[in-house]
Amino acid sequence: MTLIQMKPAPTHAAAAGRTVADAMVTAGPQVCDDMTVEVALSVMASARTGHLLLSDDSGLCIGLVTHAQLAAVRDGSAYSDRVRLRDILGDCGPFTSPVTTMAEAGHMMRHSGVDVLPVVDEHGSALGVFALAR
């Protein structure tokens, strides 16, 4: 029989120092803001994801939209199949840096009421997303 030495569970202090880079996942689909809502919903369904990162014409991340946001727009009385993502953007929520601590990012998310944060580098390019565990 071989003994396996297990690492002790991280203490609260060690977990508090972890950064978003330690827990973020790959960015997933990133689409241009000129895409229509219908196509964006189709991309989400194909990718089996609940969000899309949005980029501008230069490829920089400008925000994130969720399936719930797009479904609400599609179900609205003013909806047409020509509505583009840039038409509904408004406030796309906060962003975070990979060097932000997980505690700081979690606080920001709870304060702003979002479940997922885009993680961007110093140039505004998407690196991934950070989500709170449910």
Side-chain angles (χ1 to χ4, degrees):
M1 176 161 61
T2 304
L3 293 176
I4 300 173
Q5 185 171 355
M6 303 294 287
K7 290 183 179 180
T11 63
H12 184 0
R18 292 185 61 203
T19 65
V20 167
D22 298 327
M24 72 179 188
V25 295
T26 57
Q30 185 169 350
V31 299
C32 194
D33 64 349
D34 68 348
M35 180 178 281
T36 65
V37 170
E38 280 303 317
V39 173
L41 285 166
S42 179
V43 169
M44 275 187 198
S46 295
R48 297 179 186 201
T49 187
H51 64 271
L52 294 173
L53 291 173
L54 302 177
S55 63
D56 61 13
D57 293 333
S58 61
L60 297 180
C61 183
I62 58 170
L64 179 142
V65 292
T66 65
H67 185 273
Q69 289 171 313
L70 296 182
V73 168
R74 182 189 57 203
D75 296 339
S77 61
Y79 178 73
S80 83
D81 62 357
R82 293 184 179 168
V83 175
R84 300 197 178 280
L85 297 175
R86 70 171 54 122
D87 300 333
I88 62 163
L89 282 181
D91 181 17
C92 289
F95 295 82
T96 193
S97 160
V99 297
T100 304
T101 67
M102 289 174 53
E104 291 170 326
H107 177 75
M108 180 184 350
M109 293 169 78
R110 285 185 293 278
H111 180 69
S112 59
V114 298
D115 295 328
V116 182
L117 283 177
V119 181
V120 297
D121 65 14
E122 63 275 6
H123 305 291
S125 297
L127 300 174
V129 294
F130 177 72
L132 288 178
R134 294 272 175 195

